Amino acid sequence: MGAGGREIRVPVGAGAARWTSRAVERRVLLVVHNVTSAGRLLDVLPLFHDDLRVQILVTNTGSSPFQAGTEEVLREWGLPVLPWEQAAREPVDLAVSASFGGGLEALPGRLSVLSHGVGYTKRLPRPGAEGPEPTFGLSPDWLLADGAPYVDGLVLSHPEQRERLARACPEALGAAVLAGDPCYDRMLAARPYRDRFRRALGVRRGQRLLVLNSTWNPEGLFGSGGTDLLPALLPRLAAELPADSYRLAAVLHPNIWYGHGPGQIRAWLDRARRSGLALIDPVRHWRQALLAADAVLGDFGAVSYYAAALGLPVLLAASGTERLDPEAPLARFVTEARRLDTEAPLVRQVDALLTAHRPLPEPAAFVTSAPGRAAALLRAHFYALLGLPEPPWPALLEPLALPPYEPVRRTAPLRVRTLARGRRIRVERTTEVPYGAQEDTHLCVYEDTRDPAELDLADIIVREGPPDDPRTGSPARWTADILGAYPHCGLAVYVDGRHSCTVRSRRAGLLRLTAGPGADADPAAYAGAVHAWLGAGRRIPPRGVSLRLETGAGEHVVRVARERDVPRETSLHRP
């Protein structure tokens, strides 16, 4: 049952006092079950920062079936890791866990347990137990050992959890502590940085970010139980939601991510990723994605409830009510939330969700009864169990980090619909769309497409990269090479900046497209407007022209200027 490994000798173990540089007054053991629980323990780790009286240790029970990724997370922490067998006998003053099971009752010292979700909501039987499924963390199955509670502190985020505890396991009431939700508090503190998080995800001005989220159960959105919605839903999202109006991101539970393996998840979602779906780190950056979102398409997991608590519109694709404690607020939310209609157009449903949305008061009220106060309450609780006075400085949590910049990396071909009315040109790009007879259409293909045969059919070929890449030559040279290599192509587009690109047209020569004031669209969409302009028989005047590009995300002024050409020195042309 335990996690193996060589026992450590410093800073604890036989003869450790001889080898340690600093003597400490207390030892705190963080008990990890899997990556999910590790993420919640990381929330509270800063409460012990700077206290030279306390030594932090870590152990892994080894009891969770989801062990993948755990070792890497613990290595990142850089804290002494005790094998479970050593941790079960090494004296500590306080053990802190964010899950149950794994022999917690055998640990020496006092024990405090946090929730690793949005309170205690799911039903889960203890291994080997019989009878109806109890609520995980609020039932005798999880809280009692030999008929008596073994937890010294059961951290609750709201009094309603205490009421359910009183009905389910009154013996453990003495351990209940109302101490808020540090995970939610970190999100509340990071709300002012929403725009930064959106820019980190490559969300352009006027775009809507739709976050898909799934818990790990078979009944979840990603699961294959029930109707197995995902295989049909993913291509529909890419096909029906215009690329310039929506940015798509997916937050998958760590048990999905590490249970199947990140490489397998990327393989399963390859087509969706090539169509623009971003996969979010399920430990470090899921909260930032939630704060950046305009709407959430999810299931009965904690992320959906956190989203509703933040005031976001939520559309549920899987309810999973049989997995939930029917008395939990999450169960009521799942019962009442708007549901995805798999037969109706997706754009219409998302638009209706956003238009009719009114924030629900209940999720924000029941996530925590002490918003913004979890750090102070938890530290007071921990230090009371340690028998130490609290440090004199304020109890603070770590701010959410700014994720790395992740612009849309799209390589799937785009079907482009355009409608020109003078200098005002509407452009709509999706992977597959039904076309109206009144609209001009063309095919836009990225040079690094999975299927090279698509390049032979492309009206526009696009490359994204720096303007001084020695492998491709200058944008002017690359565009010339492309038109020579692909006779059907009418426009070669080299995107070399967030707001600019170089375009070569068979009819108009070399052009430079730049965004006007306030414009913030994909430069490849600018090229679609130029394609429609030239296709309507218009010319590019010697001094250039300004076009008004309309997308679902708004209106953008695009300046089209003639560029001085360079001599041709390549020979990639097909006869």
Side-chain angles (χ1 to χ4, degrees):
M1 180 168 85
R6 180 177 297 179
E7 293 192 0
I8 68 172
R9 297 175 58 193
V10 180
V12 296
R18 179 183 176 187
W19 308 109
T20 54
S21 296
R22 288 193 61 87
V24 296
E25 298 180 39
R26 300 290 189 273
R27 295 170 177 172
V28 173
L29 178 68
L30 303 181
V31 184
V32 172
H33 289 74
N34 49 37
V35 171
T36 307
S37 69
R40 291 309 178 98
L41 292 174
L42 192 58
D43 284 340
V44 301
L45 181 57
L47 300 180
F48 300 103
H49 282 180
D50 295 310
D51 193 340
L52 299 179
R53 302 169 298 172
V54 176
Q55 170 70 57
I56 308 296
L57 308 166
V58 186
T59 190
N60 177 10
T61 66
S63 59
S64 171
F66 300 102
Q67 287 300 300
T70 306
E71 183 177 337
E72 291 84 350
V73 169
L74 298 188
R75 189 180 301 120
E76 288 179 14
W77 288 8
L79 295 169
V81 179
L82 280 67
W84 175 248
E85 291 78 8
Q86 183 180 8
R89 67 171 189 272
E90 191 72 46
V92 296
D93 301 283
L94 173 64
V96 182
S97 175
S99 190
F100 287 90
L104 292 181
E105 62 275 12
L107 288 173
R110 294 191 151 190
L111 173 65
S112 180
V113 180
L114 313 169
S115 167
H116 64 255
V118 57
Y120 300 90
T121 60
K122 291 187 178 179
R123 291 173 163 177
L124 186 68
R126 188 156 187 150
E130 298 180 357
E133 291 189 341
T135 299
F136 182 68
L138 288 187
S139 65
D141 306 65
W142 294 105
L143 293 171
L144 303 183
D146 298 325
Y150 64 89
V151 177
D152 299 285
L154 179 63
V155 177
L156 310 176
S157 62
H158 195 279
E160 72 82 18
Q161 295 160 26
R162 194 178 191 280
E163 294 171 4
R164 283 189 285 136
L165 176 65
R167 291 191 291 271
C169 187
E171 301 94 326
L173 271 177
V177 178
L178 285 170
D181 185 329
C183 173
Y184 185 61
D185 280 2
R186 293 182 73 192
M187 287 190 274
L188 292 179
R191 278 181 132 172
Y193 309 112
R194 167 181 162 84
D195 287 343
R196 295 184 189 178
F197 299 149
R198 289 173 68 82
R199 289 193 292 269
L201 282 170
V203 180
R204 293 181 179 271
R205 194 178 306 117
Q207 276 189 312
R208 294 167 169 174
L209 173 61
L210 180 63
V211 170
L212 284 63
N213 89 85
S214 176
T215 191
W216 63 271
N217 291 279
E219 295 82 5
L221 173 58
F222 194 85
S224 59
T227 58
D228 194 9
L229 176 64
L230 196 71
L233 179 62
L234 284 173
R236 284 189 60 196
L237 286 167
E240 296 183 35
L241 300 183
D244 299 300
S245 302
Y246 291 90
R247 175 78 162 115
L248 298 179
V251 171
L252 303 178
H253 192 285
N255 289 354
I256 298 175
W257 187 260
Y258 290 104
H260 291 284
Q264 180 63 73
I265 299 301
R266 286 190 285 267
W268 276 336
L269 299 180
D270 180 68
R271 178 181 175 186
R273 292 171 60 230
R274 288 187 287 115
S275 297
L277 176 74
L279 290 180
I280 305 300
D281 185 311
V283 177
R284 299 164 186 83
H285 301 141
W286 69 268
R287 286 171 282 208
Q288 294 89 321
L290 208 56
L291 289 166
D294 292 289
V296 170
L297 175 60
D299 57 18
F300 54 96
V303 174
S304 295
Y305 201 66
Y306 277 132
L310 291 169
L312 291 171
V314 177
L315 192 64
L316 293 187
S319 63
T321 51
E322 67 278 7
R323 289 283 186 178
L324 301 176
D325 179 345
E327 296 183 346
L330 175 59
R332 293 194 295 272
F333 166 74
V334 166
T335 301
E336 298 169 0
R338 186 186 290 254
R339 297 292 172 81
L340 175 72
D341 182 351
T342 58
E343 302 298 325
L346 297 179
V347 172
R348 189 182 305 164
Q349 292 186 71
V350 175
D351 286 345
L353 177 73
L354 291 164
T355 302
H357 175 62
R358 299 292 182 272
L360 300 174
E362 186 177 85
F366 281 104
V367 163
T368 175
S369 59
R373 297 175 54 210
L377 293 170
L378 282 170
R379 193 176 75 172
H381 165 61
F382 292 151
Y383 275 79
L385 291 180
L386 284 171
L388 278 180
E390 289 187 65
W393 50 83
L396 300 171
L397 303 174
E398 192 74 23
L400 293 180
L402 184 63
Y405 179 52
E406 187 179 355
V408 177
R409 188 74 180 97
R410 184 179 290 109
T411 61
L414 290 170
R415 306 287 176 174
V416 186
R417 296 188 290 175
T418 60
L419 181 61
R421 300 182 301 276
R423 293 186 181 183
R424 191 179 299 273
I425 302 172
R426 181 168 63 83
V427 175
E428 184 176 282
R429 305 184 303 162
T430 55
T431 54
E432 293 290 343
V433 292
Y435 300 122
Q438 79 280 10
E439 294 167 318
D440 182 26
T441 65
H442 59 270
L443 178 64
C444 176
V445 178
Y446 288 78
E447 187 185 30
D448 50 357
T449 178
R450 176 68 62 84
D451 183 0
E454 293 167 337
L455 294 168
D456 290 313
L457 305 175
D459 300 292
I460 297 178
I461 296 176
V462 179
R463 178 180 181 82
E464 297 176 345
D468 56 352
D469 190 335
R471 298 169 299 174
T472 59
S474 67
R477 181 153 297 142
W478 177 87
T479 55
D481 291 344
I482 289 298
L483 292 191
Y486 299 100
H488 181 77
C489 177
L491 226 61
V493 183
Y494 196 112
V495 177
D496 55 17
R498 180 174 168 84
H499 303 289
S500 60
C501 62
T502 296
V503 171
R504 184 178 294 276
S505 163
R506 293 190 186 276
R507 292 181 52 197
L510 195 65
L511 307 171
R512 183 67 178 169
L513 278 56
T514 54
D520 188 23
D522 181 354
Y526 303 167
V530 171
H531 185 276
W533 173 266
L534 297 173
R538 305 296 187 99
R539 297 180 179 274
I540 307 297
R543 295 186 177 181
V545 64
S546 292
L547 302 179
R548 292 192 173 275
L549 168 67
E550 292 181 353
T551 68
E555 185 175 286
H556 316 268
V557 177
V558 180
R559 181 65 185 170
V560 183
R562 290 188 175 275
E563 282 273 87
R564 182 181 177 186
D565 211 339
V566 295
R568 298 284 297 282
E569 297 180 5
T570 55
S571 58
L572 297 180
H573 319 304
R574 294 180 180 178

